[in-house]
Amino acid sequence: MTHQALPTQLSATTASHRPSVPTTSRAIPAKRSRLARFSSKLPRRSELAIDTGDAGRVIDLRRQPDAASRLPRGKARGRYRCCACGGTLIFSGPATPTSGFTPRFRHDGSTPGSDLCTAPAPHQADIQADLTVVLHLRDQLVHVLPGARICLQIDPQLAGQHWPLPPALIVRHGNDVIVIERPRRLLTAAAAEVRLRAVRNRHGENVKHWWFFDRADTLHYDPAGTVSVRLHGKPLTHDKVRPTPTQRQITAAGGAVCWITNDTVLIPYGGHLGTYPVQEGEDWSGELESWSRDWKISYPYPADAAAWWGLVPVPLLAFGTHTGFRPAPAFQIMTALAAAERGREKHRRSRARTHAQRPTAAQHHAPASQENEQTSPTTPPELPAPTDSPEQSPHPTTAPTTAPIPPQPAGPPLHVPTQPFRFHWRSLLPRRRQS
């Protein structure tokens, strides 16, 4: 009995000395994903679709809360297309506004797995990255242009294809229609021409077509140093960029090119070196040769001859302070730069005219006697030129510049104290000893 009870007592004693641990604390917590702690800004494929019934407008269920009540549910006769694979989508919306059902798009299929996108994963990621970049700019413009209607739009025939450009942002603000492009990959001249022509055909010649490139994208930004300018006495430094041939093509066609970094937009102006043509009465030789060369500005659209583009930084909010989506502060700075350029040319031409009226070379290197005759009309012209001998030289016609030095007597030179003499009794001691 005692032997059988011993293990039970030891087990009970050991258990009594252990701290009581609640059952809930010993439960292993569920592993949470790191991304679950943050609200993802990437658009989900189930929230996006191309509406072929609305001229290729991209539906975003997250940013369009009225889509559930505005759009027809179901297949809607193939109205909704997938952005990645181009397949037909089914819109599953809530039956009633109070049902709490989250609306979404799904692929048409009845078998398991057939409601998923069949596009390759890299292609799906590329399309999702394009839409993410454009939707981020759209969210920024919502704060810049309150009350404006902003949507994404693309050619419905490009659904499922590898489109060269992301969907454009269509902004309707009052009577103005602004089309904003946000290129992400390398932009070719053919793709830019197709988009420029399509925008003009759809929205007319008066449409404002802006192209926002990424400042950190090396495909679209080639730095070319800086340029120092001075506006109203204040020195400024502007970045310079070498435009690509496609960017020059866009500006030549009437489009507007700019770069964006965070909430700052860089508006370009053209700059090229030139030499002032010589006008009558001007002399640009010698020290003024370098002054004849200067850089000139072309704005608001950089000219084809511009060697580089200077960039004026303005906040994105500046586009909303004036009608017509115009960054007025940037244009004001460009106007001031053009005025400063005219001021520089006027000042330099004035110096060139002054330089042309200088004395000739023969007059500039005339002998000393001729210079004295011209400066001292009282000097007789028949007097001989001064020589180095003081006995043979005539009296000077002008006052000497230094006092005459008297002849020194023969013998050893006398010691001339450099300081004034001061009497002291010690000076008599040597004489007293000699007496």
Side-chain angles (χ1 to χ4, degrees), residues 112-392:
S114 61
D115 60 341
L116 300 178
C117 182
T118 58
H123 180 63
Q124 294 186 33
D126 195 25
I127 296 297
Q128 189 178 22
D130 283 348
L131 295 175
T132 301
V133 171
V134 179
L135 289 174
H136 177 67
L137 180 59
R138 182 257 182 199
D139 295 340
Q140 291 178 290
L141 294 177
V142 168
H143 300 284
V144 174
L145 302 171
R149 293 174 296 169
I150 307 175
C151 67
L152 277 68
Q153 195 170 22
I154 197 170
D155 187 359
Q157 297 180 359
L158 296 177
Q161 300 183 13
H162 182 77
W163 52 46
L165 276 170
L169 281 172
I170 310 300
V171 182
R172 290 178 172 84
H173 190 217
N175 297 327
D176 298 324
V177 178
I178 304 104
V179 179
I180 301 176
E181 309 287 351
R182 188 67 170 84
R184 195 181 64 88
R185 60 182 63 86
L186 182 62
L187 180 62
T188 62
E193 179 63 26
V194 170
R195 183 60 62 90
L196 287 168
R197 191 185 309 112
V199 169
R200 287 195 300 266
N201 294 337
R202 179 173 179 80
H203 302 283
E205 296 292 338
N206 296 328
V207 63
K208 298 175 177 62
H209 201 174
W210 281 84
W211 297 70
F212 278 66
F213 293 93
D214 191 354
R215 168 64 173 80
D217 191 352
T218 56
L219 293 176
H220 304 120
Y221 185 87
D222 185 10
T226 59
V227 57
S228 299
V229 297
R230 181 177 291 273
L231 298 176
H232 310 294
K234 181 180 179 181
L236 297 175
T237 301
H238 290 165
D239 292 331
K240 296 192 301 182
V241 64
R242 299 181 186 90
T244 63
T246 307
Q247 291 168 350
R248 293 180 181 271
Q249 172 190 357
I250 293 173
T251 56
V257 173
C258 64
W259 286 262
I260 186 170
T261 169
N262 297 328
D263 295 332
T264 302
V265 182
L266 305 175
I267 310 298
Y269 58 87
H272 60 91
L273 297 177
T275 303
Y276 295 126
V278 181
Q279 298 180 0
E280 184 179 359
E282 296 178 350
D283 184 7
W284 297 92
S285 62
E287 60 182 6
L288 291 184
E289 182 180 0
S290 61
W291 286 63
S292 63
R293 296 185 295 271
D294 194 9
W295 71 275
K296 296 185 178 181
I297 182 177
S298 61
Y299 74 97
Y301 299 105
D304 294 338
W308 46 265
W309 290 2
L311 302 177
V312 180
V314 296
L316 183 60
L317 292 174
F319 284 85
T321 56
H322 296 77
T323 58
F325 201 73
R326 296 179 66 258
F331 295 154
Q332 293 173 1
I333 292 178
M334 296 177 190
T335 304
L337 289 177
E341 173 190 320
R342 293 190 295 269
R344 290 196 311 269
E345 181 179 0
K346 182 179 179 180
H347 172 69
R348 294 185 180 190
R349 290 192 180 278
S350 176
R351 291 199 58 177
R353 289 191 296 269
T354 304
H355 188 60
Q357 298 175 1
R358 72 191 189 285
T360 59
Q363 296 176 351
H364 186 68
H365 299 285
S369 59
Q370 296 181 6
E371 292 180 359
N372 293 337
E373 292 176 3
Q374 294 177 1
T375 56
S376 303
T378 57
T379 304
E382 66 274 12
L383 291 179
T387 60
D388 296 336
S389 176
E391 291 82 9
Q392 298 178 359

Side-chain angles (χ1 to χ4, degrees), residues 397-420:
T397 57
T398 57
T401 57
T402 57
I405 302 177
Q408 298 182 358
L414 299 179
H415 175 70
V416 180
T418 59
Q419 297 180 357

